[in-house]
Amino acid sequence: MTAPAPTDQAELLALLTLRFTPGLGPLRIEALRRHFGRAEAALAAPLTRLREVPGLDTKTVSAIGSPAPAEQARTELERARRARVRLLGRGLDGYPPALEALSDPPAVLWARGPEADDLAELRAVPRSVGIVGTRGASPHALSLTRTLAGELAHAGVVVVSGLARGVDTAAHQGAVDAGGVSLAVLGSAVDVIYPRENAPLARQLTLLSEYPLGTGPNKPHFPMRNRLIAALSAGVLVVEGERKSGSLITATHALDCGRTVFAVPGRAGDPRASGPHALIRDGAVLTESAGDILAELGWAQAASPPLPDLPPEQESVLRALSAPATLDDLHAATGLALPELQTALVMLQLQGLAQEVGGRWAR
């Protein structure tokens, strides 16, 4: 893991010290950094100069430069070094430019995993897509999510999600299974995996958090992390979710960041489809395949993975399953007689290449 340059190390320590100073959040830390040019200079400034910074009250000003946050920052840097966790400071090399789309980018990020040194590649409009949805997703939604994430990963797109149960897990797994890169933004520290059953999956991902090491999951953290998922993505896809859910919060953050919102339609009357349907009514891009996302974002679609060696009927059906389809859809698309079509579907199902959920077939 690349170590920061000495001057960057000092500024990183200063940003981390401000991060641990009571009363200072991302907006106030950035106000200090901009007023003095560097976080180091803010920590060294006398009280008279600190009082010139807009938005700081007397109690907060008096806390800046106190010894406890500085000691906490030094301890955190050492813990991160031992845990092979990279700390990314705003304004320093390695910090993802995509986060500048937010009104309150974190002053410091904690990153761990295979791509932790490459997060600066997430430019103002990154080649990445966030995929979010309900924890209690339907089998069809989970299958479709894995397919979409795999196709996006195959096209060189980074898949971003939150490592929660359900749609998030399916998105990460689909990207990893396709040999792609997936970024998990956590509502806990990068060394505290939640839910615990996702620990093996987390080892295959790049993990990102705005919380210090050892921080456990906390309910208010999850809406906060959703804004990072939105900013780190050129577009956010909502697969399933009710109208009042974290997925819809993420979509709102995406719009605030100027990102594109995509939504997968579901069955009428299913509460899990109410969120995507509301988004589609409000102008979200109706999405049934990765191609819909790639086309909307203007990204060239990579060639599809080679199909396994199959009999002609099965190959024809599998090609027609680029998006979920009914038996009638497949009959029209392939021209096969119904008995041949049904036999081909059964054989594909036995090989684990297709499945039927809710009257529709999907890869």
Side-chain angles (χ1 to χ4, degrees):
M1 187 170 294
T2 306
T7 54
D8 284 357
Q9 185 77 7
E11 178 68 359
L12 178 60
L13 180 61
L15 285 167
L16 197 55
T17 299
L18 293 174
R19 166 65 175 78
F20 287 129
T21 299
L24 291 181
L27 292 175
R28 287 181 166 183
I29 294 173
E30 182 61 11
L32 284 163
R33 191 174 75 91
R34 289 184 178 274
H35 187 86
F36 293 102
R38 286 176 67 84
E40 284 181 274
L43 283 175
L47 288 177
T48 52
R49 293 287 314 282
L50 290 171
R51 293 191 185 103
E52 298 171 0
V53 181
L56 297 185
D57 55 57
T58 303
K59 183 178 180 180
T60 302
V61 166
S62 63
I64 296 172
S66 56
E71 180 59 32
Q72 193 175 358
R74 285 190 290 269
T75 300
E76 187 72 10
L77 274 178
E78 178 58 24
R79 289 181 67 193
R81 185 191 64 79
R82 291 198 305 267
R84 298 189 61 79
V85 171
R86 186 173 183 191
L87 295 180
L88 307 173
R90 190 176 179 191
L92 300 177
D93 289 344
Y95 193 91
L99 289 180
E100 296 299 331
L102 293 171
S103 62
D104 62 342
V108 180
L109 291 167
W110 283 252
R112 178 188 238 174
E115 305 295 325
D117 289 341
D118 299 318
L119 292 175
E121 295 303 314
L122 295 172
R123 302 293 178 188
V125 181
R127 191 177 174 87
S128 53
V129 168
I131 301 179
V132 294
T134 181
R135 288 169 171 79
S138 66
H140 169 69
L142 296 177
S143 174
L144 179 61
T145 299
R146 285 190 293 269
T147 298
L148 289 168
E151 291 173 351
L152 289 170
H154 184 73
V157 176
V158 176
V159 172
V160 185
S161 197
L163 200 61
R165 295 184 179 98
V167 168
D168 288 20
T169 296
H172 292 305
Q173 193 67 63
V176 167
D177 290 346
V181 174
S182 190
L183 174 63
V185 185
L186 307 184
S188 59
V190 296
D191 63 337
V192 180
I193 302 305
Y194 177 81
R196 290 183 179 179
E197 67 262 24
N198 274 347
L201 174 59
R203 288 193 285 271
Q204 303 176 75
L205 309 174
T206 296
L207 309 178
L208 196 66
S209 174
E210 59 182 312
Y211 301 108
L213 296 174
T215 303
N218 195 0
K219 191 173 181 179
H221 293 175
F222 294 98
M224 292 295 289
R225 69 94 191 270
N226 289 345
R227 81 193 198 286
L228 302 186
I229 293 174
L232 290 166
S233 309
V236 169
L237 171 66
V238 179
V239 179
E240 279 186 341
E242 298 190 12
R243 283 176 181 252
K244 294 182 179 180
S245 66
S247 304
L248 274 292
I249 292 172
T250 309
T252 300
H253 284 306
L255 293 172
D256 291 342
C257 292
R259 309 311 197 200
T260 304
V261 174
F262 301 87
V264 173
R267 290 180 298 178
D270 185 344
R272 294 169 296 193
S274 61
H277 288 171
L279 291 172
I280 291 169
R281 283 193 294 271
D282 290 341
V285 179
L286 189 152
T287 304
E288 293 183 302
S289 70
D292 295 331
I293 298 172
L294 296 169
E296 181 67 25
L297 294 175
W299 296 340
Q301 186 169 4
S304 298
L307 294 174
D309 188 16
L310 296 170
E313 296 83 2
Q314 295 176 36
E315 182 177 342
S316 176
V317 173
L318 193 57
R319 288 188 184 280
L321 286 174
S322 57
T326 65
L327 197 64
D328 287 342
D329 294 334
L330 293 173
H331 178 54
T334 62
L336 294 172
L338 282 176
E340 292 177 290
L341 175 58
Q342 290 170 326
T343 299
L345 285 168
V346 169
M347 296 305 298
L348 290 171
Q349 188 175 35
L350 291 173
Q351 297 172 75
L353 297 173
Q355 66 173 352
E356 191 269 336
V357 180
R360 302 176 87 194
W361 286 87
R363 288 196 184 191

